[in-house]
Amino acid sequence: MRRRTRLTQAAVAAALLIGSWAAAGTLPASAQDIPASAAADASAPASPGLLDAMRRDLGLTRAEAEDRLAAERRATALAPQARETAGSAYGGAWFDARSGRLTVAVTPDADATTVRTLRESGAAVRTVEHTERRLDTVKSRLDRLDAPAGVASWSVDPAANTVVVNVVEDRRTDNDVRAFVRKARAAGPVTVRTVADAPSTFAAGTVGGDPYYTGNVRCSIGFSVHGGFVTAGHCGGVGQQVRGWDGSYIGNFQGSSFPDNDYAWVNVGSGWWTVPVVLGWGTVPDQLVRGSAEAPVGASICRSGSTTRWHCGTVLAKNETVNYAQGSVHQMTKTSVCAEGGDSGGSFISGDQAQGVTSGGWGNCSSGGQTWFQPVNEILNRYGLTLHTA
């Protein structure tokens, strides 16, 4: 039997996941069905545990957390429509937590009908100078530069209508950092900000707990897919064996990319299989995964990992290039959620929608920090995988 007895016999059915299988846990042959207690009722805005986590990490009351989740669902559904409506005048969009609405940026080229249609759909509208296409072009130019270690990351900030370059605070006067900044500013609208530390991946050496292992590296599972699970690429290369918390063989890395990307997938067999669940670690009920609709910038988001377990925060930026010591990784999403070594590969989820797998960041869950994830839809498309959903 490939799981430990964590609960009383009467409650065993509710504990579906094996330890640190943060999203794509495996089950013994006698526990194939997912009980209703594994996650909150789908008709409710969130489970009580999830709301408690949002209160802890985002400083919200229970009512504020419920209202925010409902508003974020509306914004997520509206975002693709808003992009299409704005057309060539589109300058980006983000969720405004204060107003509870999606804000859509448009250039002065947008006609009155476009603006009226956006407002009637429920979006707030802001006029900006640069289109998203223009900013994406500038960001792509920066991607071709050779970034020094003192440059942490760069991405388009739709609310600021600029490309933001994040520089490590105590390295900002380094000659190579200043040279990168000069080239970046020459490429187009760029703003420089400072961050406390350089990003690093969140793999860890072998320690106790409920991990999966590749060699002497411990990481966390992201999400179940049909035939396996997705995780971070820096956790293992193609062909490497993967072992569960009990040391038994699970499968092998079937695809892996790092740097440039940070994603991978592992096949599951040998008596192990997957379920569409993210482990709540007792902080929240285990969460069912029902899809992968992409949450907008500004939305709340939570992460599950084998070291620091369950933490929440907000989406800060998308399509950010992160400059790790091993090389740059592109198309990352930045969050205010903390993480630590061993959390790599773990699941980022917004409500019941899969968002991505933990890559790296800076800081920790005692003093705080920021974390990046590789969007799950990119991984699914790259390897032709199908997300396992409830």
Side-chain angles (χ1 to χ4, degrees), residues 110-131:
D111 57 34
T113 300
T114 296
V115 174
R116 182 173 64 253
T117 300
L118 288 169
R119 287 176 174 156
E120 289 174 350
S121 71
V125 180
R126 179 187 296 180
T127 302
V128 296
E129 181 179 358
H130 308 292
T131 64

Side-chain angles (χ1 to χ4, degrees), residues 9-373:
Q9 187 64 31
V12 166
L16 285 181
L17 295 183
I18 296 180
S20 71
W21 289 75
T26 62
L27 300 177
S30 61
Q32 298 184 41
D33 296 329
I34 300 171
S37 59
D41 183 82
S43 63
S47 69
L50 175 58
L51 296 175
D52 286 343
M54 293 180 68
R55 287 194 297 175
R56 179 196 67 194
D57 294 337
L58 298 177
L60 304 175
T61 66
R62 181 186 180 91
E64 288 171 341
E66 290 177 337
D67 290 345
R68 177 160 178 165
L69 287 171
E72 288 174 357
R73 285 195 294 272
R74 292 192 295 269
T76 298
L78 177 59
Q81 173 191 335
R83 176 189 290 270
E84 183 176 352
T85 298
S88 61
Y90 184 70
W94 61 95
F95 177 74
D96 185 345
R98 292 186 178 180
S99 68
R101 300 166 68 189
L102 184 74
T103 299
V104 181
V106 296
T107 61
D109 297 336
D111 57 34
T113 300
T114 296
V115 174
R116 182 173 64 253
T117 300
L118 288 169
R119 287 176 174 156
E120 289 174 350
S121 71
V125 180
R126 179 187 296 180
T127 302
V128 296
E129 181 179 358
H130 308 292
T131 64
E132 182 186 63
R133 183 176 181 180
R134 163 68 172 148
L135 295 177
D136 284 345
T137 298
V138 174
K139 195 261 179 182
S140 295
R141 291 172 180 165
L142 271 59
D143 286 345
R144 294 192 288 269
L145 298 178
D146 185 15
V151 176
S153 63
W154 54 94
S155 65
V156 172
D157 183 339
N161 197 228
T162 187
V163 175
V164 173
V165 174
N166 296 295
V167 173
V168 179
E169 188 170 10
D170 62 2
R171 304 289 296 276
R172 64 186 185 277
T173 59
D174 290 0
N175 289 337
D176 53 355
V177 171
R178 296 171 68 177
F180 181 91
V181 168
R182 284 196 300 271
K183 293 176 182 177
R185 284 177 167 151
V190 164
T191 298
V192 177
R193 297 174 184 167
T194 59
V195 295
D197 206 348
S200 61
T201 57
F202 283 126
T206 300
V207 295
D210 294 314
Y212 82 85
Y213 298 94
T214 55
N216 66 344
V217 172
R218 171 168 62 88
C219 284
S220 304
I221 287 176
F223 293 95
S224 295
V225 297
H226 290 287
F229 64 84
V230 294
T231 186
H234 71 263
C235 292
V238 174
Q240 279 193 272
Q241 289 190 359
V242 172
R243 294 174 288 114
W245 65 267
D246 61 354
S248 65
Y249 170 74
I250 298 172
N252 297 75
F253 278 83
Q254 301 297 305
S256 180
S257 177
F258 179 79
D260 187 32
N261 307 292
D262 194 5
Y263 50 60
W265 83 280
V266 176
N267 69 314
V268 167
S270 301
W272 299 75
W273 60 87
T274 60
V275 291
V277 176
V278 170
L279 187 63
W281 292 101
T283 301
V284 301
D286 296 345
Q287 304 290 300
L288 292 176
V289 178
R290 301 187 183 277
S292 58
E294 186 177 330
V297 170
S300 63
I301 194 166
C302 297
R303 180 193 56 72
S304 183
S306 63
T307 298
T308 57
R309 302 191 172 188
W310 186 272
H311 287 274
C312 300
T314 57
V315 178
L316 300 178
K318 294 185 178 184
N319 191 25
E320 182 148 305
T321 300
V322 183
N323 189 37
Y324 293 129
Q326 300 92 331
S328 294
V329 177
H330 304 92
Q331 296 179 310
M332 302 280 272
T333 297
K334 181 166 65 177
T335 78
S336 64
V337 187
C338 68
E340 296 179 13
D343 287 327
S344 279
S347 41
F348 269 90
I349 189 167
S350 182
D352 57 10
Q353 300 296 302
Q355 299 297 309
V357 300
T358 305
S359 173
W362 60 269
N364 55 54
C365 289
S366 296
S367 59
Q370 294 178 342
T371 302
W372 287 269
F373 68 80

